[in-house]
Amino acid sequence: MYADSDVAALYDLLNPWDPGLNACDRFYHPLVMGADAVLDVGCGTGAMLTLARERGHRGRLVGLDPDRAALERARRRGDVAWVEGRAADAQRGAGFGLATMTGHAFQTLLTDDEVRASLAAIHGALRPGGVFAFETRHPGARAWERWTPANPDDVTELVDGAGRALRYWHDVDSVAGDVVTIRGTLADAEGRVLRVLGESLRFLGVARLDGFLAGAGFVVEERYGDWDRTAVGDTGPEIITVARRP
């Protein structure tokens, strides 16, 4: 009832990329504009790189994502390279000056082996001195406890490109160790369910995260607990990391 291409378009409505409005986007945009070659891992529909090109970025821009429907939407922009694949498929020796992983995409790496393989590939895709910037939700904030239709802040009402009034909310199916499995439900204005989207997310703390980064050869240069660049606390909400390949 709601096709993959519709879901990709819906993502842009739910997560508009706008440095003028969103603190997260204000954090990443200058990094992207200041780098001559950028790899966006988990690029989705490509909004970040598309805006960078529109704002005058003249260097090499590459988006990497396993979601074919999202990439089809991204490929409307032909002057950015869009590659189908996972983080672990990042091209070694590509010589990027910056790699990013936004939208909490890092949390979709669910196992230790997947984290290690992904970080190794990203490290290899960067040239010496290159930077990897990403964020993950702080487990101490326990954000999943607020992902429920009983929380008005978790229910989004919107109108899609076809003029349909929609509602979107989350339910948590399970919490197993540091992995939380959720459902996103999309319904019309009458409550008829149009699509259910399942997802699992891993919540790594600072110590585990830094162990993986060090094991991949990264050195953490900056670390923040929120988009206003405050320090990381015990209860989050974010763990924002800027790490360098020495």
Side-chain angles (χ1 to χ4, degrees):
M1 298 175 68
Y2 213 78
D4 288 348
S5 58
D6 294 326
V7 172
L10 183 69
Y11 181 87
D12 286 339
L13 292 174
L14 290 169
N15 305 277
W17 187 270
D18 187 345
L21 295 176
N22 302 322
C24 168
D25 304 351
R26 283 195 295 274
F27 180 88
Y28 284 107
H29 185 66
L31 295 176
V32 173
M33 296 303 291
D36 63 339
V38 181
L39 172 66
D40 185 19
V41 181
C43 66
T45 59
M48 183 177 73
L49 296 186
T50 293
L51 180 65
R53 193 64 92 197
E54 290 174 353
R55 297 263 176 108
H57 197 293
R58 297 181 180 276
R60 180 161 53 117
L61 300 177
V62 178
L64 176 68
D65 200 283
D67 188 327
R68 186 167 298 176
L71 285 181
E72 287 177 359
R73 187 167 177 83
R75 285 176 176 140
R76 296 178 303 173
R77 184 90 199 186
D79 53 1
V80 176
W82 307 107
V83 180
E84 185 176 341
R86 299 184 178 278
D89 300 320
Q91 182 184 356
R92 273 74 164 176
F96 290 101
L98 173 69
T100 58
M101 206 166 182
T102 70
H104 302 104
F106 190 88
Q107 291 186 250
T108 65
L109 307 176
L110 300 181
T111 68
D112 289 359
D113 286 346
E114 192 173 8
V115 171
R116 291 189 185 101
S118 299
L119 289 175
I122 293 168
H123 184 277
L126 291 168
R127 60 176 178 259
V131 166
F132 176 38
F134 68 102
E135 87 284 339
T136 181
R137 297 176 184 88
H138 197 308
R142 303 180 68 83
W144 62 87
E145 294 181 348
R146 299 183 292 279
W147 294 344
T148 166
N151 176 11
D153 291 337
D154 189 59
V155 179
T156 301
E157 297 186 0
L158 68 157
V159 177
D160 71 5
R164 291 173 287 195
L166 304 172
R167 300 176 75 240
Y168 184 75
W169 68 86
H170 296 100
D171 290 280
V172 175
D173 283 337
S174 67
V175 180
D178 56 16
V179 175
V180 178
T181 299
I182 63 174
R183 279 175 291 122
T185 300
L186 180 69
D188 63 18
E190 287 71 42
R192 181 178 59 162
V193 174
L194 304 176
R195 186 75 182 256
V196 177
L197 304 170
E199 185 177 25
S200 293
L201 302 170
R202 190 177 187 186
F203 287 75
L204 285 172
V206 171
R208 293 292 309 282
L209 189 60
D210 284 355
F212 285 121
L213 288 167
F218 283 105
V219 175
V220 175
E221 290 202 337
E222 301 176 45
R223 171 65 57 64
Y224 305 107
D226 208 344
W227 300 110
D228 59 3
R229 297 178 183 262
T230 52
V232 176
D234 293 332
T235 58
E238 304 282 350
I239 304 171
I240 304 162
T241 303
V242 179
R244 188 176 297 275
R245 172 181 172 172

